[in-house]
Amino acid sequence: MEPHQRSDMHSVQLWSDPKYLQGTAAHMARYRPIILEGLLIREGRQLVPRTADGGQWRLLALGKQDHLLGRHVRGEGAREGHDIVAADRTIAK
């Protein structure tokens, strides 16, 4: 086996080892439920609920949410990354 093939195989093993994944973005991919409440605004093409503590999240939601812009909303879903929430449900408060 060539040395470069061995290193490729080693990197695949590392990425599949749960001990190696702890603390990485790949480890964050687990389903983590989250509920957000805040004022829903649009920044560019992104939906952004601004929370009372000043936090900002990017909201991924299916369908049109234009009727909720400028209103206080409650979004329930899963955290998808550092500041991204995949919303299962978004309702006006």
Side-chain angles (χ1 to χ4, degrees):
M1 190 178 269
E2 295 292 321
H4 69 277
Q5 289 175 330
R6 206 176 320 191
S7 66
D8 290 344
M9 192 188 283
H10 180 67
S11 65
V12 170
Q13 289 171 346
L14 282 177
W15 279 106
S16 62
D17 183 0
K19 286 185 255 177
Y20 178 77
L21 293 176
Q22 289 179 351
T24 65
H27 184 68
M28 292 175 60
R30 290 189 206 154
Y31 182 84
R32 293 186 294 167
I34 188 169
I35 297 173
L36 295 173
E37 293 185 3
L39 179 66
L40 188 63
I41 62 169
R42 183 182 302 276
E43 289 187 359
R45 297 179 63 145
Q46 299 284 325
L47 295 173
V48 178
R50 287 200 177 152
T51 60
D53 65 359
Q56 289 192 125
W57 295 81
R58 291 184 289 157
L59 191 67
L60 302 176
L62 294 175
K64 296 216 176 233
Q65 305 296 319
D66 292 342
H67 64 287
L68 296 173
L69 290 173
R71 298 179 71 181
H72 286 276
V73 297
R74 176 184 172 116
E76 300 174 5
R79 188 170 177 175
E80 289 285 324
H82 174 69
D83 65 345
I84 301 171
V85 173
D88 296 326
R89 185 168 83 160
T90 308
I91 56 172
K93 283 188 62 174

